[in-house]
Amino acid sequence: MSEQHTNGRPVAGAALVSRLNTNRPHSARVWNYFLGGKDHFAADRQLGEQIRAAYPQIVQVAQVSRAFLRRVVTFLAGEAGIRQFLDIGTGLPTADKKNPLSGQAGPQTSFQRARRAW
């Protein structure tokens, strides 16, 4: 995380990391774990494994969900001609370290990101 804004003032990445509670699982980090990413901690993996024990298909659901998102954006940017997208998320990078949609939409397409500063 580079620079976020809190109360209109920039906060350095180190300050954000110091506020990060790695002992408490977060849904976005658990989802990142399901997708094979690296931005998760022991508490996230532990909860992820509990979820997987109760719902063994969860990893496949996460992967299918991501694939659906790619197909939708590809269609909207291609056939429907949409050129601007708003990506509302948690601020965590995706499992593949880039916007999963950036290569799908073409050079004229822009993605604006709205993220919560943790």
Side-chain angles (χ1 to χ4, degrees):
M1 291 182 227
S2 56
E3 181 179 18
Q4 301 288 331
H5 293 274
T6 301
N7 298 328
R9 305 171 108 179
V11 176
L16 286 173
V17 171
S18 71
R19 295 185 349 219
L20 184 64
N21 185 350
T22 61
N23 296 316
R24 184 173 180 179
H26 187 280
S27 60
R29 295 191 311 249
V30 173
W31 199 251
N32 181 272
Y33 173 62
F34 291 150
L35 288 172
K38 66 174 193 65
D39 296 299
H40 47 77
F41 300 96
D44 307 309
R45 293 187 293 273
Q46 182 180 11
L47 178 60
E49 289 307 316
Q50 290 173 358
I51 293 169
R52 190 189 321 225
Y55 185 42
Q57 303 88 353
I58 191 64
V59 172
Q60 183 181 6
V61 167
Q63 293 167 344
V64 168
S65 175
R66 181 58 54 93
F68 173 75
L69 180 63
R70 285 186 181 118
R71 287 192 313 272
V72 167
V73 169
T74 299
F75 169 79
L76 291 173
E79 292 185 40
I82 304 294
R83 292 293 174 248
Q84 293 182 333
F85 293 86
L86 177 61
D87 180 5
I88 301 173
T90 61
L92 294 177
T94 61
D96 59 6
K97 297 298 281 175
K98 62 179 182 166
N99 187 307
L101 316 173
S102 58
Q104 311 294 318
Q108 304 261 338
T109 304
S110 69
F111 290 89
Q112 301 303 315
R113 290 164 180 83
R115 302 285 192 231
R116 179 175 176 185
W118 296 102

